[in-house]
Amino acid sequence: MPDGKLAIYPGTFDPITNGHLDIIQRSRFLFHSVVVAVTTNPAKKPLFSVEERIAMIRTCVADQHSISVESFDGLLMNYAVGKQADVIVRGLRAITDFEYEFQMALMNRKLADSVVTVFLMPNEKYTYLNSTIVKEVARFHGDVSSFVPKEVNSILIKKFKTP
Ligand code: PNS
């Protein structure tokens, strides 16, 4: 484990899925500390507030001292440089992720080349999984219990409960 390396794992996490948790666990093996950073960008029209998203992630990583959870405003690289981070972690599930991630990583490197983007691949069982598809299934009362942590599953069920 490289001594003292700080990694930031940024995202929307609306909500956190088992795929995100897989990336967090892999990051733990590589970096001394990992900050899961939730964007406050309202343009993404999230289902859950920043506070709700942070609370869900905190519940999932409560017993892991090297992991913290925060929100950030504005440009990721301003936040990363402010925290003196070494690394940005992004998950890469399939080739469809590549173009967007490649563009973002290169732009981020232009903005601050002291911070290195690394891509981690989650277990292949999460290849098709993302928060949008989980919300879509949960909205129509489909079972998403094997795709999200159990606390998140309960919150989704409550959110989409028909009165
Ligand atoms: O989970 P997501 O939605 O794929 O995460 C995307 C995120 C939040 C990492 C990205 O949109 C981001 O970094 N937003 C902050 C604004 C920013 O820095 N934009 C320029 C990226 S090149």
Side-chain angles (χ1 to χ4, degrees):
M1 178 193 298
D3 213 29
K5 293 281 184 225
L6 168 64
I8 292 177
Y9 178 36
T12 305
F13 303 107
D14 185 45
I16 188 165
T17 66
N18 289 341
H20 293 127
L21 280 177
D22 177 298
I23 296 294
I24 292 172
Q25 296 316 322
R26 288 173 203 278
S27 306
R28 275 180 73 206
F29 283 113
L30 294 170
F31 306 110
H32 185 259
S33 42
V34 179
V35 180
V36 182
V38 180
T39 179
T40 59
N41 185 0
K44 300 240 176 189
K45 295 197 174 28
L47 175 67
F48 295 103
S49 69
V50 178
E51 293 73 23
E52 288 173 316
R53 285 178 274 155
I54 288 179
M56 285 188 266
I57 303 169
R58 285 205 174 124
T59 308
C60 300
V61 299
D63 54 339
Q64 296 165 28
H65 301 302
S66 61
I67 300 171
S68 55
V69 189
E70 296 182 357
S71 62
F72 73 100
D73 295 317
L75 277 183
L76 172 63
M77 293 321 266
N78 288 348
Y79 168 74
V81 169
K83 290 199 76 72
Q84 298 186 299
D86 302 288
V87 169
I88 299 293
V89 171
R90 292 287 289 170
L92 207 53
R93 289 162 300 191
I95 197 74
T96 44
D97 284 340
F98 181 76
E99 207 164 316
Y100 169 61
E101 293 296 337
F102 186 66
Q103 190 180 29
M104 202 157 64
L106 290 183
M107 177 56 82
N108 282 339
R109 192 161 69 188
K110 274 265 180 268
L111 294 171
D113 68 359
S114 60
V115 188
V116 176
T117 298
V118 305
F119 295 105
L120 299 178
M121 286 169 291
N123 188 301
E124 58 274 16
K125 69 184 176 194
Y126 301 129
T127 302
Y128 60 94
L129 183 60
N130 64 37
S131 300
T132 305
I133 208 157
V134 162
K135 282 180 285 189
E136 177 78 1
V137 174
R139 185 181 302 279
F140 298 110
H141 311 122
D143 179 11
V144 294
S145 58
S146 54
F147 309 131
V148 293
K150 68 175 188 317
E151 301 81 4
V152 175
N153 188 43
S154 312
I155 291 167
L156 282 167
I157 289 171
K158 217 159 119 192
K159 190 94 177 171
F160 292 120
K161 205 167 150 187
T162 34

